[in-house]
Amino acid sequence: MKQIFIINGPNLNRLGTREPEIYGRITLAEIETLCRRAAGERPMRFHQSNFEGEIVEWVHEAIDHGAGIVINPAGFSFTSIAILDALKMFSGPIIELHISNIHRREAIYHRSLVSTVATAVIAGLGPNGYATAVNALRDLIRE
Ligand code: DHK
């Protein structure tokens, strides 16, 4: 059974203490646990990096081995042509996930490049959005 990839961008390793009024106090490790519970029997890779190229390489691994991607590109959502180009090569479903509702925040967060290739976008459900995204991805893969 092909894996699902959960890929997280910069500063998400600081969840728990990072702007808790926006992101809550849950840690990335706790979010990983939420994802694994939602993934059930579906094998899952969970990654986080502050480096663009590392994220590109995980997308390349998903291209070769993955059934679907949940990606929170974080700040790279709005800037990274490299991650966008990598995602364009992925043939499976892609769910873009933001903990916060980026459309209710500063204008710099309103235009995600990743949204132009994502199958779906989830933003504003808080950390629980990850479990929602994994469940939705499992349904999309089943199709
Ligand atoms: C996380 C970030 O780091 C920001 O750069 C995004 C996203 C929002 C989130 O809500 O998960 O703008």
Side-chain angles (χ1 to χ4, degrees), residues 9-12 15 18-19 22-23 72-78 97-102 105 108-109 123-124 130:
N11 301 302
L12 293 172
L15 286 175
R18 176 194 178 193
E19 297 181 276
I22 296 173
Y23 301 108
N72 183 345
F76 288 143
S77 308
F78 317 102
L97 185 283
H98 299 281
I99 294 169
S100 64
N101 180 349
I102 55 175
R105 299 183 58 192
I108 56 170
Y109 297 127
Y130 279 88

Side-chain angles (χ1 to χ4, degrees), residues 25 47 84 128:
R25 297 191 180 280
H47 298 296
L84 172 63
N128 288 331

Side-chain angles (χ1 to χ4, degrees), residues 4 42 93 95 132-143:
I4 56 176
R42 172 68 65 173
I95 296 183
T132 302
V134 171
N135 286 318
L137 194 65
R138 290 180 68 189
D139 290 344
L140 288 168
I141 292 167
R142 198 170 291 125
E143 284 164 11

Side-chain angles (χ1 to χ4, degrees), residues 18 88-89 127 136:
R18 176 194 178 193
K88 285 180 177 178
M89 294 186 277

